Each structure stands twice: as C-alpha cells, then as structure tokens.
Amino acid sequence: MTAPSQARRELYGSRQVYEPHKASLPPMGPYLREFWRRRRFAYELSRTTQKADNFDSKLGSIWLVLNPLLLATVYFLLIEVISQSSSGLAGFLHIVIGLFTWYFVAGCISLGATSVTSGGKLILNQSFPRALLPLSSVISAFLRYLPTIPVYLVMYSIGLLIVPASNTGSKALMRPSWAMLWHPALMVILSITGFGLAMIFATMTVYFRDTNKFLAYMLRMWLYLSPVLFTVDALKAKMDHVSIFGVHLGNILIYANPLGPALGIMGDVWVKGVAPAPVLVGAAIAWALVLLFGGAWIFISRERDFAVRL
Amino acid sequence: MLSDSEFAVRLEHLTIRYRTTYESNPTLKGAMLKFGRGRGEKRRKVRVVEAVKDVSFGVPHGTVLGIVGSNGAGKSTLMRAVAGILPPSEGRITVDGRVSTLLALGVGFNGFLSGRENIMLGCLAAGLEMDEIALKYEQITEFAELGDFIDMPMRTYSSGMYGRLAFAVSVNMDPDILLIDEALSAGDARFKEKSFNKMKELCAQARTIFIVSHALGTIQELCTDAIWMNQGELIKRGSPEEITESYLRFLKVGPSAIAMEDV
C-alpha cells in the first residue's frame, strides 16, 4: 500500500471542519454529494437487514406475500359483514390492491421510525449522512412490496375470468384499463412521500422513544381515515352531511391527509378504471414535495445530535 | 507555527458536553411525569457532563499520536469528535484527510449477517465503490484469517475473531487518518503481534494515526508524539516517553511491568 495520492485526496474531499451548531443544516452541497455517493449502502443495508430478519422464520420471505393477503381477507370479511353490501370478488380485489399499496407506505413509516435508533452501532462508529438510514427503510419497504405485484396480477387475472360470469353488477368494476399504467407514477409519488415521513418519524423516535409504540395505533387509524378500504367518492358520500367551517368533511379527510390524495389516485385508477382526477394528482405531488423537504429539514438539521442521544 | 494546511487534525478550544438525565431513555411517560411534577417539585435531573474541556492542539501530517489517560478521561469522546461522529459543543475541529475509525464498540456489525456482508456494509458506509470493496475484501479476509467463518453469521464469532475482523477492516481502508481505540488487545498473541507489525507498517507510511491505549509499551514503541488527558482536560503533551512517565507518576504506580504490558 502506498500513501494516499493527491488524486485520492481530492476524490474524497479532504478537508472537513466540525463546529458547534444549534439545529441548523450542514453545508448541503457536500452532504448531498456524500449521500448520493453512498446510495448503494442504503440498498445493501436494506437487502442484508431483510435477510437477517428472515433468519429465524421458517416461511421466510413468503410472509411478505402472506401477510397482506391474510390482512385483506380479514378486512374483506369485516366490510362484508358490517356494511352488508356485497361487492363480491371485485370488492375483495380492490381491498387487496389498496392494502398492498398501503402497507408499502406504512412500511416506510414504521421501518423509518426505528431506522436511527436501531442503527446505534453504525451511528456511533461511522460518520456518514444519516439520511441514508431512513432511505434504506424506504428501500426495504419497496423490496417487501415488490413480491406483492405479481401476486396481485395473478389474482386480478383470475378475477377477470370469474367475475363476468357472476351477475352481481360488479362486472363494471372489473375493467382493465390503460389508467392502471398510472400505478408506477403513483409508486414514485408514494416513495417520495414515504421517505419524507420516514425522516420525520425517525427524528421523532430519537427524541421520544415512545413514538414507536404509538405508531402501530396511529397507522391503524390512519388507514381507516384514508381512501384505502373505501374510494374517495364513498368516503365523501359517507361524510355528506358533515362540514366544518363550510368545508366538506370528506374533502378535509382527503386533502388534509398527507396520504389521502395519493391513495385516492389508486382508487380512481384501480377501482373506477379512469385516469386520476388532476386535483388529486396535484395534491399528491404537493404533499410529496412538502414532506420530502420538510422531513429532510427536520432530520438533517438534527442528525448531528443523534450520536449524543443514542 | 505551522500553517493551516500542514495539520492533519487541528482542535481549537474543543469542548464536548453530553446532557445526561437520570431517565435512561426519553419517553412520553417521563415527559408527562416531568410535566406533572410542576415547577416547585423536584424535576427531572439533567446533568451536563463535560467529556472534553477546552482542548486545543494541532497534529501535523504523519504524526503517530498516542493518547493516554484513566477511564473517563474523554479519550474516546475526543476520537469520535475527530471522526465527525460527535459534534463539538464549543470550539472547532479541522480534519484534513479521510478518516477511518476503529473504536471500542466495534464497527457497527450486525450479528445476524456474515463477516463478508458486514465488511461490505462497513466499506460502503465509509464511501467506497463496489469495485474497490472487491479488492479490499481480499486484503481484509487475508489479514483477519477467519477461514470459513467469514461466511458465517457474526454472532457465532468469538470476541477475538470479532476484534480481528474489526481491526482488519479498519487498517485496510487506506485512510489518511486512522483512529484506533483500544484495538491492539484483539485476538491471540500471534494476531496481536501481527496487528502490531501492521501498525508499525502504517506508522512508517507517514500516515496520521491516533492511538488510544492503556498499553503504555505500545504507545512508547509506536508513537512519535503523545498527549495525556484527565477528566476531559489536556494535561500535558510531549514525547511518548515523557508522557507515559508523567502518567505513571500520576498513577503512583511507577513504570511497573503490569502497566507496560497489554492487560
């Protein structure tokens, strides 16, 4: 081995100055450069962590598909029994895609919340842009989400074969449409939103360890308040008679909810089979950007404090 | 006086404070209890620990700096600050070069992952590219001599194997500045000698190295410069012989065989 060459020095940006700070952003240029250079770390961390998590499980990664499927069945039964409106197989399939997508975002949030507190050893011993940890949570959530796509496509194809035969009026709801090609764009929006939320909840957990305990209940309520088990229209119809300060409660529930517009897009695309309403797309993108920049600010301005608090 | 660019590491009036509370973790219950206790009652006690107090020194490139001091002297805190892990509370740290750390708590290893995966993660976190890591991987495994264990989960490792891998990763990262905290005690006698030789090799390459060790013999043999810290303060700086002698006199044990050996 030779002494580090000048070129190498330059490559690794040789000079760092550490000074006291009070919740302020570090120089963002170098931060983002280092962040981007180590993106592979975020990926490998989530890949290997997932592998480590399945270490003790017999069924291993099959649980990634089994989990949302079982949940979908539970919710389907719940809705069928409580609402007594039979939406049949089509209704079931809508709930399934809704829950698969919801669990991607919920995964971003719940994995993100503990990403910093569980990365204690790494944080105490290595200096790197900490935002890579919540990013790794988003990647983990996405890796978990991936196997549900083929599962859903198979279910949907089977549904298409069966539903036209049953004459329950749900035939209109099972209509493959080009609008479904919006789904990848929706996933991009949800990933950005999820990254923002992961950073916010990661920071909250560092200062407030109980966040993680509340999170399970919070996510459950969030799910019920989001257009996942219901479409935007159904939610609005349900809240028809209520308004606060002249604003329709249904609208508040959808647009004040960071995930409302994005999950509303999903309903438009998968349930109605139409291109999403522009106002939903606009609101979804706006929420994604607000949460990304807001979350980044909250996280990055405090991340140098994390090592002291672990 | 050296100019700014000739220092590898420069500390100016560095102070690092930890705020510790008597509650082990900040929780909502604690916050509510604190809230409930009100003003007049005894509130949650916050103790500010000054781990490093107003320390200033510059280290020119190529220096092998030994840091000695009793437990709780602030040695590890100082190392973490130089590595950019702990932010200064006051003062300023300027570091010229890439830092590799080998700190007392291990290198962020996940026990469920194999040694191979942990090496990869460590290297990626340090900012290496995949093709660089492939090269490093050979050097690291060869140095650590773990055999088949390299592909086994790290929770099956003995503490000696763990330390060997940590040391191998750290010294093979080609750092400009290497920070080593109590690492030479890793492994058996043979590996100890090997790592000692590796350290000598690195020291001879005009790299900047910080060594925290209670093995004063190591400090005397490897270092070109030394500091002695006590309770967060820089007591003295000087040649390794001078510093270890003062430190031992302070400990009132004299240069006995026990303190000179790696315990």
Side-chain angles (χ1 to χ4, degrees):
Chain A
M1 279 190 293
T2 55
S5 67
Q6 196 58 40
R8 199 182 171 89
R9 282 258 171 90
E10 273 159 27
L11 182 64
Y12 289 108
S14 63
R15 176 167 298 235
Q16 295 103 34
V17 178
Y18 305 116
E19 281 179 322
H21 64 279
K22 277 275 170 273
S24 63
L25 290 175
M28 284 315 285
Y31 187 93
L32 291 176
R33 225 176 10 253
E34 288 298 299
F35 182 80
W36 179 246
R37 203 155 64 78
R38 296 174 202 207
R39 61 195 183 280
R40 185 72 190 255
F41 167 69
Y43 171 73
E44 293 295 336
L45 182 65
S46 63
R47 193 183 63 82
T48 48
T49 308
Q50 189 172 328
K51 193 180 144 199
D53 286 348
N54 287 331
F55 197 80
D56 288 331
S57 165
K58 275 250 158 57
L59 290 175
S61 44
I62 295 174
W63 273 111
L64 299 179
V65 177
L66 215 51
N67 237 337
L69 271 182
L70 291 173
L71 270 165
T73 314
V74 170
Y75 282 115
F76 175 69
L77 287 175
L78 198 70
I79 288 175
E80 285 292 292
V81 171
I82 290 176
S83 73
Q84 291 168 347
S85 68
S86 179
S87 49
L89 186 61
F92 177 67
L93 285 172
H94 295 150
I95 291 176
V96 171
I97 183 70
L99 283 176
F100 281 2
T101 315
W102 166 261
Y103 273 93
F104 164 65
V105 191
C108 293
I109 296 171
S110 58
L111 292 172
T114 52
S115 61
V116 172
T117 45
S118 65
K121 267 191 170 180
L122 261 172
I123 287 182
L124 283 178
N125 290 306
Q126 291 256 24
S127 164
F128 58 88
R130 310 299 190 203
L132 286 164
L133 296 172
L135 177 68
S136 161
S137 306
V138 174
I139 297 171
S140 293
F142 192 74
L143 290 179
R144 288 184 184 185
Y145 170 76
L146 272 181
T148 62
I149 296 174
V151 170
Y152 187 70
L153 290 179
V154 169
M155 288 172 68
Y156 195 82
S157 312
I158 296 171
L160 278 180
L161 293 175
I162 298 172
V163 170
S166 66
N167 195 15
T168 55
S170 56
K171 185 181 172 183
L173 294 171
M174 287 289 292
R175 190 175 50 197
S177 120
W178 291 111
M180 289 169 186
L181 295 179
W182 273 84
H183 196 72
L186 174 65
M187 290 312 292
V188 172
I189 294 174
L190 281 175
S191 303
I192 295 170
T193 314
F195 183 38
L197 288 168
M199 288 191 282
I200 293 169
F201 282 99
T203 312
M204 279 173 67
T205 311
V206 171
Y207 290 91
F208 217 55
R209 297 299 159 94
D210 297 27
T211 306
N212 197 32
K213 296 223 162 86
F214 283 116
L215 207 56
Y217 300 98
M218 230 191 71
L219 285 173
R220 189 54 61 95
M221 288 188 270
W222 202 340
L223 166 63
Y224 297 149
L225 291 173
S226 299
V228 174
L229 304 173
F230 315 94
T231 61
V232 170
D233 296 337
L235 199 66
K236 278 185 181 170
K238 214 185 247 314
M239 305 290 172
D240 205 16
H241 51 288
V242 200
S243 62
I244 298 169
F245 300 122
V247 186
H248 198 282
L249 182 60
N251 277 331
I252 295 179
L253 281 181
I254 286 156
Y255 292 103
N257 173 356
L259 298 172
L263 294 167
I265 293 176
M266 191 187 58
D268 275 359
V269 168
W270 285 97
V271 182
K272 287 200 260 174
V274 296
V279 60
L280 285 180
V281 178
I285 292 174
W287 266 119
L289 294 178
V290 165
L291 288 170
L292 177 69
F293 288 112
W297 181 74
I298 290 172
F299 186 93
I300 296 171
S301 63
R302 283 167 182 78
E303 68 165 49
R304 287 171 293 179
D305 202 27
F306 291 170
V308 190
R309 292 187 177 264
L310 286 177
Chain B
M1 197 66 196
L2 289 165
S3 78
D4 220 27
S5 62
E6 285 164 83
F7 286 115
V9 177
R10 190 170 177 189
L11 310 183
E12 292 158 90
H13 302 288
L14 177 69
T15 297
I16 293 177
R17 288 187 205 98
Y18 286 101
R19 281 167 64 90
T20 52
T21 59
Y22 287 98
E23 291 161 349
S24 53
N25 278 328
T27 61
L28 179 66
K29 186 189 164 202
M32 287 201 296
L33 283 179
K34 188 181 84 176
F35 191 69
R37 272 183 223 132
R39 281 168 177 270
E41 304 285 313
K42 52 173 183 179
R43 266 179 273 181
R44 181 177 61 165
K45 287 178 183 164
V46 178
R47 202 172 133 225
V48 177
V49 178
E50 282 205 337
V52 176
K53 294 172 195 160
D54 193 22
V55 170
S56 301
F57 62 87
V59 179
H61 285 286
T63 306
V64 182
L65 181 77
I67 304 175
V68 299
S70 337
N71 296 127
K75 307 183 294 289
S76 298
T77 304
L78 186 81
M79 296 282 255
R80 288 216 163 91
V82 171
I85 294 164
L86 287 175
S89 306
E90 274 166 40
R92 196 218 291 235
I93 307 166
T94 314
V95 177
D96 186 20
R98 201 161 65 106
V99 175
S100 168
T101 50
L102 178 51
L103 301 171
L105 297 177
V107 194
F109 287 127
N110 180 337
F112 284 96
L113 300 178
S114 68
R116 184 190 296 272
E117 287 161 330
N118 274 299
I119 292 172
M120 185 185 63
L121 284 178
C123 290
L124 284 171
L128 269 66
E129 306 290 335
M130 281 310 256
D131 50 344
E132 279 183 285
I133 294 172
L135 285 175
K136 290 268 178 285
Y137 180 75
E138 297 299 319
Q139 296 172 2
I140 291 168
T141 47
E142 195 187 323
F143 192 86
E145 295 178 46
L146 293 173
D148 294 341
F149 272 95
I150 200 73
D151 285 314
M152 309 246 292
M154 280 195 67
R155 57 179 192 158
T156 62
Y157 287 23
S158 71
S159 55
M161 291 160 76
Y162 198 94
R164 266 154 66 171
L165 188 58
F167 185 81
V169 169
S170 175
V171 294
N172 282 299
M173 293 291 264
D174 264 341
D176 300 326
I177 300 162
L178 179 62
L179 308 176
I180 298 181
D181 192 347
E182 298 293 349
L184 289 173
S185 50
D188 51 24
R190 199 177 65 83
F191 190 80
K192 213 174 279 180
E193 195 191 327
K194 188 175 170 181
S195 51
F196 189 77
N197 289 335
K198 179 75 183 178
M199 291 288 306
K200 268 207 247 180
E201 188 191 316
L202 289 171
C203 294
Q205 284 170 2
R207 287 168 202 269
T208 310
I209 302 178
F210 282 31
I211 301 173
V212 167
S213 182
H214 291 295
L216 299 179
T218 306
I219 300 272
Q220 284 190 5
E221 192 161 343
L222 290 177
C223 298
T224 57
D225 197 355
I227 58 171
W228 165 26
M229 290 183 71
N230 193 43
Q231 297 192 338
E233 286 172 64
L234 176 63
I235 303 290
K236 199 173 180 185
R237 181 175 181 178
S239 72
E241 289 74 19
E242 196 185 329
I243 291 297
T244 48
E245 200 179 301
S246 314
Y247 176 53
L248 286 173
R249 207 179 308 128
F250 168 76
L251 292 176
K252 292 187 185 121
V253 291
S256 71
I258 298 165
M260 295 300 285
E261 282 303 312
D262 192 357
V263 186

